[in-house]
Amino acid sequence: MSLSDQPSVRLRPEIVALPAYKQGKPAQTDAFKLSSNENPFDPLPGVVEAVQAETAFNRYPDASALALRERLAAKYGVDSDQVHVGSGSVALLAQLILAAAGPGDEVIYSWRSFEAYPGLVTVAGATSVRVPNRDDFGHDLPEMAAAITDATRVVIICSPNNPTGSIVTAAEFHAFMAAAPRNLLVILDEAYAEFVTDSEAVSGYPLLQRYPNLVVLRTFSKAYGLAGLRVGYALGPVDILNAARSTAIPLSVTGQASVAAIASLDAEPELLRRVQVLAERRDATWQALTDQGWNLPASQANFLWLPTGAETTQVADTLAAAGLIGRPFAPEGIRVSVGEAEAMTHLIRITADIIESLPVEHAARRKD
């Protein structure tokens, strides 16, 4: 580190060493951005009008987003105090980790999973315990249960898993909860829940009464198409959510975000039609890539995982040169969002040549 790179004040060394979160690479106007799992559809009916009508920028929003919490409480059959709204589900995750874990404590999660997890744990001063994914790219819940110690304060389960798209089944989740201590905070991150079509997948909100140590995270960024407004929510026990509220940055959810979320809930029939289109597009693209010879997990989210390994950067560059911007996680793989129909057709055309260029024994090639 040169003198100019050294901090001018005393900072936490683990924070100085922590790489900042990097969002998906933007795309040129003649390329498809498939790097951020955004919804390719325009906002749902009524959303733009609701946001445009919310013009009192000179006033603070309702800090608790009560109107939105009441609407979500009615949707899920819980009390409004069992709903906590934040600026995206990742903000709520940060609050929950801060509330439960600090120096000397451990947070367990599967890896690879959402790239923000390690940073959020480090910022809290806690220690990450990463349990490797199974060979099929899903969570190894028995190994995660085995990793729990007296120092464990939080376990994060991501289903569908970002970036692999794999689900945790209800049976797997119940077995894990039976093995986990009842005083251990379990966070079920369901940012992509609306895209799930597998009947065996776990669904968190019906389990809240059964598991008093469970918090479920969801978001309006993905299926609802409000990524630019930043609004997500947590469902769980009041005492846990109150602790999270105590760590929150006040007034972080804007009035525009709240009314957009409510308007999006009003348009849920249209939402479900759009989600069905994206799920069918996902499955068709997965099948086409599998038929080409790719060995990739069956995704239940709005993205696909290409396990390109050591060739990740090379393949990402090839895609980018063809006008497809994916999200590389070198040296493991590339996450490709399900975008416009034209983008998926183009992807299928390009990946046919890519799979043939990979070594015969490459993990991304199907062995049959």
Side-chain angles (χ1 to χ4, degrees):
M1 179 183 291
S2 67
L3 185 61
S4 60
D5 292 331
Q6 294 177 358
S8 57
V9 298
R10 292 164 65 179
L11 302 173
R12 289 169 57 190
E14 68 272 23
I15 300 300
V16 173
L18 184 67
Y21 174 81
K22 293 183 179 180
Q23 69 182 117
K25 184 179 177 180
Q28 301 296 324
T29 55
D30 60 347
F32 293 104
K33 184 186 178 188
L34 306 178
S35 57
S36 296
N37 299 339
E38 295 155 329
N39 192 319
F41 290 104
D42 292 333
L44 288 159
V47 172
V48 173
E49 295 80 2
V51 172
Q52 290 174 336
E54 188 70 17
T55 58
F57 305 134
N58 58 314
R59 302 295 184 185
Y60 288 115
D62 174 7
S64 72
L66 178 60
L68 177 55
R69 287 194 296 116
E70 289 179 339
R71 182 64 182 273
L72 289 167
K75 174 180 172 66
Y76 292 107
V78 298
D79 186 82
S80 61
D81 287 339
Q82 293 175 275
V83 183
H84 177 34
V85 174
S87 53
S89 57
V90 67
L92 297 166
L93 180 61
Q95 295 166 21
L96 288 162
I97 293 173
L98 282 168
D105 298 330
E106 295 176 349
V107 177
I108 296 173
Y109 50 85
S110 189
W111 197 253
R112 174 169 286 276
S113 193
F114 182 33
E115 67 267 30
Y117 293 163
L120 296 178
V121 174
T122 299
V123 168
T127 300
S128 287
V129 177
R130 304 184 186 185
V131 176
N133 291 338
R134 299 182 310 228
D135 291 341
D136 65 357
F137 307 101
H139 282 33
D140 191 335
L141 287 181
E143 285 299 314
M144 292 176 71
I148 295 171
T149 70
D150 289 342
T152 307
R153 295 294 178 268
V154 181
V155 175
I156 307 169
I157 296 173
C158 187
S159 181
N161 185 45
N162 178 12
T164 65
S166 308
I167 59 158
V168 169
T169 68
E172 290 170 337
F173 186 79
H174 288 307
F176 173 83
M177 294 300 284
R182 300 285 279 188
N183 63 352
L184 174 66
L185 174 58
V186 177
I187 301 173
L188 182 57
D189 187 347
E190 292 188 310
Y192 301 91
E194 290 83 3
F195 299 101
V196 173
T197 57
D198 189 334
S199 61
E200 294 188 0
V202 66
S203 180
Y205 74 87
L207 307 179
L208 292 172
Q209 298 233 356
R210 180 170 178 176
Y211 300 117
N213 57 330
L214 173 64
V215 172
V216 176
L217 299 183
R218 293 202 172 185
T219 184
F220 286 93
S221 295
K222 310 303 181 184
Y224 289 88
L226 300 183
L229 287 174
R230 309 304 303 131
V231 56
Y233 58 98
L235 306 171
V238 175
D239 60 334
I240 299 175
L241 297 188
N242 280 344
R245 291 179 181 109
S246 296
T247 73
I249 296 174
L251 303 161
S252 59
V253 179
T254 67
Q256 291 72 31
S258 290
V259 299
I262 292 171
S264 296
L265 291 169
D266 289 339
E268 279 203 321
E270 175 63 19
L271 168 81
L272 295 177
R273 286 191 288 271
R274 293 180 177 191
V275 166
Q276 182 179 1
V277 169
L278 291 173
E280 290 173 352
R281 192 175 294 169
R282 170 200 70 203
D283 294 344
T285 305
W286 177 88
Q287 188 61 60
L289 267 61
T290 300
D291 291 343
Q292 289 176 354
W294 285 88
N295 174 36
L296 68 164
S299 175
Q300 286 287 294
N302 68 333
F303 52 82
L304 297 169
W305 175 249
L306 305 179
T308 43
E311 283 70 35
T312 291
T313 300
Q314 172 190 335
V315 173
D317 289 344
T318 300
L319 291 172
L324 294 168
I325 308 302
R327 184 68 180 272
F329 296 96
E332 293 154 292
I334 303 171
R335 189 190 68 199
V336 182
S337 306
V338 176
E340 300 85 348
E342 184 183 355
M344 297 297 98
T345 299
H346 192 39
L347 175 69
I348 293 167
R349 187 162 53 245
I350 301 304
T351 52
D353 291 332
I354 292 175
I355 191 62
E356 291 300 323
S357 72
L358 296 177
V360 174
E361 296 304 316
H362 197 285
R365 299 189 70 151
R366 207 174 67 243
K367 307 296 190 296
D368 57 17

